[in-house]
Amino acid sequence: METVSLSTLLEVMDMEKLIELKQRGKLVITKSAPHAEALFSSIPSRYRHKLN
């Protein structure tokens, strides 16, 4: 299971989009604050591409 920290994720997407994906249940948060991480496979492909 590969994860990405939310601070890294915020480098490629804005906070509004992050909140929207979390509320819709599309983004899976595997670890809660203060060291929050999201499941890499749950990140939309257009953002995954930017992370690589």
Side-chain angles (χ1 to χ4, degrees), residues 3-52:
T3 60
V4 177
S5 70
L6 291 186
S7 59
T8 303
L9 194 54
L10 286 172
E11 292 176 7
V12 296
M13 75 171 60
D14 60 357
M15 182 63 86
E16 291 176 8
K17 188 65 175 178
L18 177 76
I19 292 170
E20 177 187 336
L21 290 172
K22 281 175 42 179
Q23 288 177 343
R24 288 176 37 204
K26 299 292 182 181
L27 190 63
V28 178
I29 304 299
T30 58
K31 218 185 244 187
S32 60
H35 303 290
E37 293 183 351
L39 189 61
F40 187 76
S41 61
S42 71
I43 299 169
S45 61
R46 65 180 171 263
Y47 298 112
R48 271 189 272 170
H49 177 71
K50 292 178 183 178
L51 288 171
N52 290 333

